[in-house]
Amino acid sequence: MNDDQPVLLEKRGTCLRLTLNRPRALNALSHTMVRLLDEALSLAEQDESIASVLLSGAGDRGLCAGGDIRALHDDARASGRASLEFWRDEYRLNARIARFPKPYVALMDGIVMGGGVGVSAHSGIRVVTERSRVAMPETAIGFVPDVGGTRLLATAPGELGTHLALTGRSVGAADAVLCGLADHHVPARLLPALTEALGEPAGPGTSAVGIVQRFATEPTAGELAAQRDWIDGCYAADSVEDILRHLRESGVPAAEAAADELLTKSPLALKVTLAAVRRAARLDSLEAVLDQEFRVSSRVFEHPDFVEGVRARIIDKDNEPQWKPGSLAGVDDQEVARFFAPLGPGEQELGLAPGPAHDPVNEGQAE
């Protein structure tokens, strides 16, 4: 194990520990890290002495804050293509994690956002703590949820996923479990003991999930369960405009606050995000959703809202992005549909699903 490496590998007993090791950057994913994780999974899959894989993040702030947004921003400004290759490998890694044949335990402690969700929430055993804050906050920077996030959010109960996708809000342990983003709550103080237990030789009838369950406790109550009535009622609408109208007319202060929050996001990103989540619900596999997300990400990467959103939220931090267009009325259905169209000449589809990514109900139609 070399502490200078961005991903640390350590075999403890029968468990291969993978540690994202960029604590100063909140373990933000780089292309190199994606490749190292993929290589580590190949090692774990082929080595019969490895019974399970454990993913965690270095430092005490979080597992992973997402992709390296500054690098993506700089690439977009320079009209580069490196980001597309990063996403191609990242999405393939997300699919591999979901299908990994051995127990893959993700410790989703602290901040888990964007790409951090992609390397954890598709795993078979997902552990959150009282410190967890899980989010897909892409609309705030003019982007759209990816890394399979639209599938995760589309399968959340009721319209909870639509609410989280559009607002980009983070959730704690109980709400992450409720939304299907995590499975178990383990107090942060017990994570070292859990880690050690996973490396011990498994006895008869012992499994990785059984070990995690020994340490699991009930999390503190969340917020979303009590808000289901207004969330499900307002977010079931077919357009962002109607969602906003329902939020305003609900008479619920929390709904009014959500409406105010939506108006700070990129209008284009909001409309494409709603369409992406609705379409993901009709696709039959994670691979098909990732194929769709790659098309959308490739298009969003070329749109000025992404560069402007990163500038305003992350680089200059003035929180005054100048979106183009500046209103929902300026984004029409044809513009939204363009983000889901097959990639053009000279562009390569992701191609994870056996057939082309498409909406079996409404091919070519925007939401």
Side-chain angles (χ1 to χ4, degrees), residues 295-351:
R295 289 178 174 180
V296 172
S297 296
S298 299
R299 301 290 188 235
V300 175
F301 183 69
E302 300 168 349
H303 194 277
D305 271 10
F306 174 56
V307 169
E308 173 61 7
V310 176
R311 180 207 65 76
R313 307 292 193 196
I314 296 173
I315 297 176
D316 295 342
K317 298 183 180 179
D318 58 28
N319 289 317
E320 295 183 0
Q322 301 301 307
W323 305 122
K324 295 181 180 178
S327 68
L328 291 167
V331 184
D332 62 29
D333 288 347
Q334 286 188 334
E335 175 69 1
V336 174
R338 185 181 72 84
F339 285 79
F340 298 89
L343 298 180
E347 299 177 299
Q348 183 182 354
E349 297 277 358
L350 183 62

Side-chain angles (χ1 to χ4, degrees), residues 12-31:
R12 290 277 190 92
T14 60
C15 180
L16 180 64
R17 294 180 57 183
L18 309 179
T19 305
L20 306 181
N21 189 38
R22 294 182 66 201
R24 290 185 179 179
L26 233 171
N27 302 317
L29 289 176
S30 65
H31 201 164

Side-chain angles (χ1 to χ4, degrees), residues 18-103:
L18 309 179
T19 305
L20 306 181
N21 189 38
R22 294 182 66 201
R24 290 185 179 179
L26 233 171
N27 302 317
L29 289 176
S30 65
H31 201 164
T32 296
M33 294 168 75
V34 167
R35 291 186 179 119
L36 289 172
L37 287 171
D38 189 65
E39 291 172 4
L41 292 186
S42 292
L43 169 66
E45 194 167 346
Q46 296 163 12
D47 189 337
E48 294 182 0
S49 70
I50 294 174
S52 64
V53 171
L54 176 67
L55 179 74
S56 63
D60 57 6
R61 296 169 59 204
L63 172 67
C64 175
D68 192 332
I69 296 297
R70 286 178 178 266
L72 297 171
H73 166 272
D74 293 346
D75 190 36
R77 283 195 64 188
S79 299
R81 308 295 289 177
S83 298
L84 302 187
E85 295 311 306
F86 165 68
W87 286 322
R88 189 183 301 280
D89 287 344
E90 183 185 25
Y91 298 177
R92 290 183 179 278
L93 175 65
N94 301 148
R96 181 173 193 177
I97 289 169
R99 309 297 182 209
F100 197 66
K102 296 181 180 181

